[in-house]
Amino acid sequence: MLLLVDHGNTRIKLHLTSDGQKFDTTTVSKDSFPSETSALLQKHPNVKTVVFSSVAADLVPFFQNSFPNLGIFDVAHLSNWPFVNRYTTQETLGIDRKVLASGATLLEKGKSCLIIDAGTCITYDFLLPDSSFLGGAISPGLHMRFRALHEFTAKLPLVSNVQEIALIGNSTITAIQSGVINGVVAEIIGIINRYKEQYTDFTIILTGGDAEFLATQLKNGIFADSNFMQRALYALYQFHNPND
């Protein structure tokens, strides 16, 4: 059994899996990560390796000190990736984007892919059928936009997502919700359409913490894959450990 750790900017997700298809997922905070991870590993002594992707912290010392007999697979230390990196500043490409690009390469072989990761930021990444990673775009995520309106103005309140969004907000709160959520939806649709002008056939992968919410708003046949990051981590581990 493997423990997959996805340490993002906002949340940390712990995924237990034996086959890369079914995942037992726990979401923890940065403060509770040490204690909850320790409790999880003590409850599952058959975990032999931890595989992790972290954009925010170096997790190696924690696992080395707390679980010296546990195998460690830290994607941050990889030099061999399954995709061809065409990014001009390869050293600045985030670990999370590398993992997602690897997942698209390994799980959607021979296809062009547009990966939309809707989390703290919304990232768009594009790969060609020959596994060439071209790059993409980075924009603020839903909650970052809500916070920006609150923190960079004198009186606008901090609001959050709702399921039903009106086009015309009839109060300050609903106007903010309309602007942020409809704005993000319009952005995603617009970017997809721009890609369609240049590429005739590609697979869209929508993932990240806000993916399922946004999929309900898009209403154009785009489905969220909430397990894609952990499936990508598992596929990347198997790529480097084919006999494990």
Side-chain angles (χ1 to χ4, degrees):
M1 180 177 287
L2 299 178
L3 173 63
L4 312 177
V5 181
D6 173 19
H7 191 318
N9 289 298
T10 305
R11 288 170 286 201
I12 305 174
K13 292 186 177 181
L14 311 175
H15 312 281
L16 290 168
T17 186
S18 297
D19 58 6
Q21 298 298 320
K22 296 180 180 179
F23 301 93
D24 183 0
T25 300
T26 303
T27 301
V28 302
S29 67
K30 294 177 182 178
D31 291 338
S32 66
F33 170 75
S35 61
E36 295 203 44
T37 302
S38 297
L40 188 66
L41 287 171
Q42 290 170 3
K43 184 178 178 181
H44 297 275
N46 55 334
V47 172
K48 60 179 180 178
T49 302
V50 58
V51 179
F52 54 84
S53 166
S54 175
V55 301
D58 182 5
L59 303 180
V60 172
F62 166 74
F63 287 105
Q64 285 182 335
N65 295 331
S66 301
F67 301 93
N69 296 323
L70 192 66
I72 294 176
F73 185 83
D74 180 5
V75 300
H77 295 156
L78 295 179
S79 58
N80 180 24
W81 297 86
F83 61 91
V84 181
N85 195 341
R86 303 296 187 196
Y87 216 50
T88 58
T89 55
Q90 295 184 9
E91 69 281 359
T92 68
L93 183 60
I95 289 297
D96 51 343
R97 296 172 72 190
K98 288 181 179 180
V99 173
L100 292 173
S102 297
T105 299
L106 297 170
L107 300 172
E108 301 288 344
K109 294 180 180 179
K111 298 180 182 178
S112 290
C113 292
L114 174 61
I115 310 163
I116 305 172
D117 183 14
T120 302
C121 295
I122 303 173
T123 59
Y124 304 84
D125 290 309
F126 197 76
L127 291 98
L128 297 176
D130 66 357
S131 301
S132 293
F133 175 87
L134 302 185
I138 304 173
S139 70
L142 283 171
H143 300 285
M144 189 180 292
R145 297 182 198 212
F146 283 127
R147 285 184 58 190
L149 287 174
H150 173 61
E151 294 179 8
F152 290 100
T153 63
K155 295 183 178 180
L156 290 181
L158 179 62
V159 300
S160 58
N161 299 350
V162 291
Q163 289 298 322
E164 296 296 328
I165 308 300
L167 177 62
I168 302 174
N170 59 7
S171 68
T172 298
I173 289 177
T174 57
I176 291 173
Q177 290 168 332
S178 176
V180 169
I181 297 171
N182 287 323
V184 167
V185 169
E187 173 190 304
I188 293 174
I189 292 172
I191 288 180
I192 290 172
N193 288 337
R194 291 285 299 276
Y195 274 94
K196 287 180 178 178
E197 293 174 1
Q198 297 188 44
Y199 303 96
T200 56
D201 184 31
F202 55 89
T203 296
I204 299 172
I205 300 168
L206 176 61
T207 190
D210 289 321
E212 292 188 5
F213 170 75
L214 288 172
T216 65
Q217 304 299 319
L218 289 165
K219 300 176 182 177
N220 63 349
I222 299 174
F223 298 97
D225 185 349
S226 58
N227 289 334
F228 191 76
M229 173 58 86
Q230 51 264 43
R231 292 201 301 121
L233 274 173
Y234 184 87
L236 187 56
Y237 175 78
Q238 289 294 311
F239 174 75
H240 285 276
N241 300 272
N243 297 320
D244 198 345

